[in-house]
Amino acid sequence: VDTFLVAGYETTASTLSWTLYSLAQHPEHQDKVREEVQQILSDRSADMIEWEDLPKLPFLTQCLKEAMRLHSPVPYISRRTKEATVIDGRSVPSDTYVAINL
């Protein structure tokens, strides 16, 4: 259980950190995210974003996804082969797990 808690916390913290860093490097995008959030909060007394608001933040979502693409929180991919293949001159049998470090 500790592994899952730490892994979940660490990946979330990493994603948020890289997103904030990237937005700081591109103030025009930071301004666009701020405007998007302010538009949602403009008619509310509390400065709280609700779960239902998340689909209304498409640019922020794009920024988060781009940060994860550029700075993967889990730099590892694994796939299972469906059929035998050759990768870089090496035979890989069907039903083999292949891991790729990013």
Side-chain angles (χ1 to χ4, degrees):
V1 174
D2 289 339
T3 302
F4 291 114
L5 291 174
V6 172
Y9 166 78
E10 188 175 331
T11 55
T12 301
S14 175
T15 298
L16 290 175
S17 294
W18 281 114
T19 302
L20 292 172
Y21 173 81
S22 297
L23 287 172
Q25 297 298 309
H26 300 279
E28 68 279 10
H29 299 308
Q30 184 179 19
D31 291 341
K32 190 170 179 178
V33 168
R34 184 182 300 110
E35 289 171 13
E36 195 174 64
V37 170
Q38 286 176 340
Q39 184 177 9
I40 288 174
L41 298 177
S42 65
D43 60 343
R44 298 186 187 169
S45 58
D47 288 342
M48 298 290 293
I49 293 178
E50 304 291 334
W51 184 262
E52 297 79 28
D53 295 327
L54 297 180
K56 301 173 191 169
L57 298 165
F59 190 72
L60 175 57
T61 301
Q62 290 172 0
C63 291
L64 288 164
K65 288 180 179 180
E66 182 67 3
M68 288 190 293
R69 185 186 72 82
L70 292 172
H71 311 284
S72 178
V74 181
Y76 174 85
I77 299 172
S78 71
R79 299 288 186 265
R80 184 178 56 86
T81 58
K82 291 183 177 181
E83 57 189 46
T85 189
V86 176
I87 299 175
D88 199 24
R90 295 180 183 248
S91 296
V92 180
S94 176
D95 202 35
T96 299
Y97 282 93
V98 178
I100 302 169
N101 289 316
L102 302 175

